[in-house]
Amino acid sequence: MKNIMTLVLEVTRRCNMHCEHCLRGDFEDCCMDADYNMIPEIFNGVESIGCITFTGGEPSLNHEFITACVDYIEKKDIYVGGVFIATNGLIYCQELVDAVRRLWLRNIMYSFRSNKVHYSGNGLSDYCGRYESASINQVKSFVEDECCMFSIAVSMDRFHESIPLENYLKYLTCGFYSDSKVSNMTDSQIIPRGRGMDVADGRNNRNISEMYFDDDGNPEEVYVSCDGRVFAECDLSFEMMNDENAIGTIVPGQESLENILFKAWQEYLDA
């Protein structure tokens, strides 16, 4: 395993809201945070990540873990093609913005062989892998295209509490705001898991996803819970995140994500 299309890291199970529809369930007062010692076990052996999502709980309550992950990604020079964080916005967390910006800048710098920019009156040249040089027009166009892959969404619907206007304005103008979590959510859209079982109408029911790999053994989606269990999807209640549904558990110094996925790949081939 060298590449992961979508990596979802649960950084905490704490939350500062109690939303009626939450698929995670009643874990807001749980003090479980992700173990920093898992970080090398998650990223070692990974060369590229299509998109990394930091989730919870409320991810801003453990922004330190997110920063530590970005530090390690930079240290190991892992390519990251996109970042997504959804926050309830009850607090404004500059560290979330800083983490997204750092990975966004790395993505852009990776795409240009030159670390300098120059004026070019001829517009864009053809893009072939990485730019040999960087004109103003090339950089501007590339930044506009790539920025949408790095986003912070504020969850706003009929279930989430109102948040301070100042917080919303700060996220709105941070440069990475996404409105993808602003929704007139209907009962049919709610996943009947966790507290959502009490309000969903059942039309969005689903089975637990299996792990899928490409022909080279690279997984499509990987979810790592803050207790180290590894799953093939992100939309599980915390109650469902048990050994029965996990494909393995990361244990610092003993079991890595790379090894867990390799064994899952072998089982996938044998199936």
Side-chain angles (χ1 to χ4, degrees):
M1 174 210 69
K2 294 183 178 180
N3 311 300
I4 300 176
M5 185 178 298
T6 301
L7 176 62
V8 185
L9 300 183
E10 175 192 309
V11 304
T12 184
R13 294 196 171 175
R14 293 180 288 145
C15 190
N16 48 7
M17 286 191 181
H18 188 87
C19 299
E20 182 184 7
H21 74 313
C22 182
L23 67 85
R24 298 301 190 201
D26 297 316
F27 278 81
E28 288 81 3
D29 297 326
C30 174
C31 295
M32 186 183 296
D33 289 338
D35 182 356
Y36 285 77
N37 293 318
M38 288 199 306
I39 293 176
E41 308 293 356
I42 293 172
F43 292 106
N44 285 348
V46 178
E47 294 181 0
S48 72
I49 301 168
C51 181
I52 185 169
T53 295
F54 296 104
T55 187
E58 167 52 40
S60 65
L61 298 180
N62 192 15
H63 58 79
E64 296 89 349
F65 183 83
I66 297 175
T67 299
C69 287
V70 175
D71 290 342
Y72 201 81
I73 288 169
E74 290 182 340
K75 176 182 177 182
K76 293 296 183 178
D77 195 27
I78 299 169
Y79 173 80
V80 175
V83 180
F84 180 75
I85 303 175
T87 175
N88 60 33
L90 196 57
I91 60 175
Y92 175 75
C93 183
Q94 182 62 41
E95 289 82 359
L96 295 186
V97 178
D98 293 341
V100 173
R101 178 172 285 110
R102 286 171 62 186
L103 292 176
W104 172 69
L105 285 171
R106 285 188 75 254
N107 176 273
I108 294 174
M109 295 299 294
Y110 179 87
S111 300
F112 291 90
R113 294 188 186 277
S114 172
N115 62 359
K116 295 183 180 180
V117 64
H118 64 267
Y119 170 76
S120 173
N122 297 323
L124 293 174
S125 62
D126 292 336
Y127 175 69
C128 299
R130 296 175 71 184
Y131 289 107
E132 293 292 341
S133 62
S135 73
I136 291 174
N137 286 340
Q138 287 171 331
V139 173
K140 183 174 181 293
S141 177
F142 189 84
V143 167
E144 290 173 349
D145 290 342
E146 291 298 302
C147 192
C148 64
M149 301 299 295
F150 295 78
S151 60
I152 299 175
V154 179
S155 297
M156 303 187 76
D157 51 51
R158 62 191 175 99
F159 297 103
H160 282 80
E161 300 173 23
S162 298
I163 63 172
L165 174 60
E166 181 180 2
N167 293 356
Y168 178 72
L169 291 174
K170 286 181 177 179
Y171 282 120
L172 182 66
T173 58
C174 74
F176 302 101
Y177 174 77
S178 166
D179 64 359
S180 61
K181 301 294 285 186
V182 178
S183 171
N184 292 321
M185 186 174 289
T186 64
D187 291 349
S188 63
Q189 294 174 302
I190 299 170
I191 299 174
R193 294 174 178 173
R195 285 197 297 272
M197 294 179 65
D198 296 328
V199 292
D201 64 11
R203 280 185 280 177
N204 201 16
N205 200 5
R206 59 186 71 177
N207 296 322
I208 297 176
S209 300
E210 298 179 358
M211 185 68 70
Y212 292 99
F213 297 86
D214 65 17
D215 292 340
D216 296 319
N218 300 308
E220 292 187 4
E221 180 174 321
V222 178
Y223 184 99
V224 180
S225 68
C226 63
D227 62 4
R229 290 186 175 93
V230 180
F231 302 92
E233 70 160 284
C234 61
D235 291 329
L236 298 175
S237 68
F238 289 140
E239 186 177 2
M240 298 170 70
M241 293 184 191
N242 50 43
D243 289 336
E244 180 181 353
N245 293 323
I247 65 169
T249 301
I250 295 171
V251 180
Q254 299 181 40
E255 185 74 307
S256 66
L257 179 61
E258 181 181 26
N259 193 43
I260 291 170
L261 293 176
F262 177 77
K263 289 186 286 188
W265 164 240
Q266 295 301 310
E267 294 177 1
Y268 181 83
L269 291 177
D270 293 339

